[in-house]
Amino acid sequence: MSRVVVDSIPIAPQLAADVDSLRSLVEKDLRRARKHLSPETLAHGPRAIHEARNKGDYGHRHHHDDGSGSGSAPAPASGKAVTVDDATVTYMMSCTIGGSEYNLLIDTGNSNTWCGADKKFKPDSTCENTRDSVNVSYGSGSFSGTEYTGTVILGGKDSSMKIENQSFAVATQAQGFGGGMDGILGNIQSGIGPVDLTSTTVHGISSIPTVTDNLFKQGLIKTECIGISYSPTQTNGNMANGELMFGGVDQDKITGDVTYVPITSTSPACKYWGIDQEITYGPSNKMILKQTAGIVGECTTLIMISDDAFQAYQEATGATMDKTTGLLKLSSEKFEELESLNFKIGNTIFELTPNAQVWPRALNSALGGDADSVYSVFASMGQISGIGLDFINGFTWLQRFYTVYDVSNERVGIANTPNTNAETN
């Protein structure tokens, strides 16, 4: 793919604000993983996007009147709430909505973009109150409010990524947010997002085009893809160490070529950004997980693998289970002996180095762990392989590789970066 010249937008990592959230890291990731296995969970991958577009009904509004003659929204309870859990490690983006700047969490598993949790919303002349109610519940928070349309600028007011008539919600009530988190930038990877998800959270609308869809329709990007660059998180601060590239690949962020693979045909992974991959350990290529289907994305912080693969990894590394953190723990001797993991994706081997397999030791205390101990970033999905979704390459994996989510061609791209071999943890 040739590079499309568009703005690259910096993003900053932020750990969960409450200690209990980090100390239940494995539990929360497991809950998120299991949700993707549920038949009730709605698809939000590129295939679902194209199917929604073929129906020809996304973005249709069904106006209603609450009888008051005012601009107030109907009771949020009139919409059906959808539960989506929050990730323990998230990334923030500065966005201008209605003329004011907000720090929004990037969430690829939720279609709703909204603001007003920490900083009060002040509409400008571009904003229109639709009087449609919004009601969304997350794993450790929720919000309800009203849907608006207006101008949204990704990356702040000086960015060229200015979207007209973008749908967003304004919170009248929000729980589990604050502390500089003003809301969420929803489902940037999925173009228009899962149609049924938006229809059950926003009363009166069949579905809502998301920011990527509108960027494409308004001619701001030439192709519907997003290149994402992350870096290993070392501190709990608001330092920008990630980047979103809408409409192309930032060649300055990668080393070598991008390997593209099609969305897997295996269900349920095919409903999301699912690919096929194989995992082996060390130069002897000890089998950890035979080629199978799973997800590449930020839906978990840890790297989740099927239980049989997890046991094989524990045996190969000599790690022991730590009851305090719920993570595998490596002694100093075992860490010195740790070998790389080989992720075979397409015809390319991507090496996850020993350093990339462990939690940042500077953040051990946030987990409730010992400052000098070494903890693995792998966790079990709680079931054996062969169920159609046997791994999730979560944040800790994505921080070592560049990922491209290509809606138009229904494929995922992976490339090495300077962080692939970094000794930061």
Side-chain angles (χ1 to χ4, degrees), residues 228 295 418:
I228 304 182
I295 299 174

Side-chain angles (χ1 to χ4, degrees), residues 38-56:
S38 171
E40 298 179 359
T41 300
L42 300 166
H44 59 263
R47 292 186 177 178
I49 296 167
H50 289 292
E51 289 174 4
R53 287 174 177 165
N54 290 336
K55 292 179 182 179

Side-chain angles (χ1 to χ4, degrees), residues 273-289:
W273 288 98
I275 66 169
D276 296 315
Q277 75 178 14
E278 175 187 273
I279 306 175
T280 59
Y281 179 78
S284 64
N285 287 316
K286 175 181 173 60
M287 186 60 65
I288 301 298
L289 184 63

